[in-house]
Amino acid sequence: MASSTLPISQSLPFSAHPRAIISAFLGKHPHRILCRPRGGAGGGMPLRTMVVSATTTETPKKRQAAGGTRDRGFVEEMRAVAMKLHTRDQAKEGEKTPESPPVSKWEPSVEGYLRFLVDSKLVYDTLETIVQKAAYPSYAEFRNTGLERSEKLTKDLEWFRDQGHTIPEPSSVGASYAKYVEELSEKDPQAFICHFYNVYFAHTAGGRMIGRKVAEKILGNKDLEFYKWDGDLSQLLQNVRDKLNRVASSWSREEKDHCLEETEKSFKYSGSILRLILS
C-alpha cells in the first residue's frame, strides 16, 4: 500500500489533528498555556509552559472530503476546545495571546531534534502498549489504526545512527509524560482518550509542518518515516474519528466534560516535548 504524504498546505496550524497555515516553523507565534494539574500530577513540570502548538484540528472542507457529516459528534467538541488554545494567528477560533518571539527566529539542532524524536517514540510506545493491553475494553478500538508511529520512529533513529549520530536516552520530559499517560490509562479512560486524540491527530497536522521545516533547516529536506503513513491518511483519520465518537457515545455529559478538561494538560506535555527541538 502506498504511503500517504498529504500536502502540508492542507494541514492546520498541536486533532484532526487548518484555518491558518502555521508560518515559518509551526505558526507565527508560540504561546503560553496555564495548566492546573489534577492531584498534583504533572511530572514536576512548571505551571507556565511555553507550547509550540501543532494544532489538533483541520478545516471543515478537509473534514468533509474525508468523511462529510460523519465527523460530527464528540470529536468536534474535542477539536473546538483544542482550537481555543491557539492564537488568532494560528486559528480563527484561537483565544490565546502570543507571548513569545516568532518561531521563524528559532534555530533547531540535530541534537535537539534527536531528543524530540526519542522522547516522542517513548510516548508513542506507551500509547501503543496501552491500547494493546486494553485495561478498559474501549481501548481495543484503537489497535492497528494505521496512525501508529513507534515503528516509523525506530526506522528514523536507525537512519540517524547510520549517519554517525549518537542516539540519546529519553529525557525526563518524555519519561514524565509517558508515566503520566500510563497511570491515567489505568484509572481515567476519558482523560486518557483526550491525550490519545491530541497526540495522534496533532502529529498529522502541525506536527508535519514541524517535520518539513526541520528537514529544510538541518536535514537537507530528508523525508523521515515519522511523517509518512501507509494508505490514505484522510481515511485513516476518519476511521479513528468514527471510533472515538462511538466510544464517547456511551459517556455521560460529565464524563465528556472531564475528557475536554484534560486538553490543556495534553498541550502542556506535548509542548514541552516539542521544545526539545531547540535544546
Side-chain angles (χ1 to χ4, degrees):
M1 189 173 292
S3 295
S4 174
T5 53
L6 296 179
I8 293 297
S9 61
Q10 293 182 13
S11 300
L12 277 179
F14 207 151
S15 231
H17 179 320
R19 291 186 186 278
I21 297 298
I22 311 175
S23 67
F25 196 160
L26 176 57
K28 292 182 178 180
H29 304 281
H31 58 278
R32 297 180 185 270
I33 290 177
L34 292 178
C35 298
R36 298 177 294 279
R38 290 177 175 269
M45 300 171 68
L47 182 63
R48 294 180 62 84
T49 302
M50 182 169 63
V51 174
V52 183
S53 175
T55 302
T56 55
T57 55
E58 60 190 356
T59 60
K61 180 178 180 180
K62 182 177 178 181
R63 290 198 306 280
Q64 185 175 22
T69 57
R70 290 188 302 156
D71 195 43
R72 294 176 181 174
F74 186 62
V75 168
E76 282 295 296
E77 293 189 47
M78 288 196 285
R79 172 189 174 277
V81 171
M83 290 299 290
K84 291 181 179 180
L85 294 177
H86 294 79
T87 67
R88 290 298 297 272
D89 290 322
Q90 295 169 334
K92 182 178 180 180
E93 302 98 319
E95 296 181 357
K96 294 294 181 178
T97 301
E99 297 181 7
S100 301
V103 183
S104 59
K105 294 183 179 180
W106 295 7
E107 292 296 331
S109 66
V110 172
E111 293 76 13
Y113 193 44
L114 279 171
R115 283 189 279 271
F116 162 73
L117 293 175
V118 167
D119 278 29
S120 293
K121 184 178 184 300
L122 178 59
V123 172
Y124 283 107
D125 285 345
T126 302
L127 290 170
E128 289 163 26
T129 297
I130 288 170
V131 298
Q132 287 299 322
K133 290 182 177 180
Y136 288 84
S138 60
Y139 296 170
E141 290 272 1
F142 305 104
R143 295 172 180 165
N144 305 316
T145 64
L147 299 184
E148 292 81 12
R149 298 291 87 194
S150 184
E151 184 177 342
K152 300 285 189 180
L153 281 163
T154 296
K155 293 179 180 179
D156 287 333
L157 292 173
E158 289 176 353
W159 179 82
F160 277 101
R161 187 179 288 108
D162 290 342
Q163 305 307 305
H165 297 287
T166 299
I167 308 303
E169 293 296 317
S171 75
S172 59
V173 176
S176 176
Y177 191 19
K179 180 181 179 181
Y180 176 71
V181 78
E182 183 174 16
E183 293 175 347
L184 202 64
S185 71
E186 296 172 354
K187 62 184 179 181
D188 194 338
Q190 286 76 33
F192 168 73
I193 290 297
C194 176
H195 288 269
F196 180 92
Y197 166 78
N198 280 289
V199 169
Y200 281 103
F201 278 63
H203 182 62
T204 68
R208 293 167 59 235
M209 177 64 79
I210 292 173
R212 178 187 176 187
K213 293 302 179 181
V214 170
E216 289 175 355
K217 286 179 175 287
I218 63 176
L219 299 180
N221 289 312
K222 162 73 176 178
D223 291 328
L224 295 183
E225 296 298 314
F226 190 28
Y227 305 99
K228 299 177 184 179
W229 287 262
D230 296 326
D232 182 348
L233 179 55
S234 293
Q235 188 59 54
L236 294 175
L237 290 169
Q238 185 58 47
N239 293 343
V240 176
R241 285 189 211 100
D242 291 343
K243 292 175 182 289
L244 287 164
N245 283 332
R246 183 161 59 247
V247 168
S249 67
S250 65
W251 295 350
S252 66
R253 184 66 254 174
E254 182 179 5
E255 288 172 326
K256 290 178 179 178
D257 289 343
H258 176 57
C259 175
L260 298 176
E261 290 167 358
E262 190 72 14
T263 306
E264 283 195 65
K265 191 171 290 184
S266 173
F267 270 55
K268 182 186 73 169
Y269 276 111
S270 295
S272 293
I273 291 177
L274 282 168
R275 289 171 58 212
L276 292 173
I277 295 174
L278 306 176
S279 63

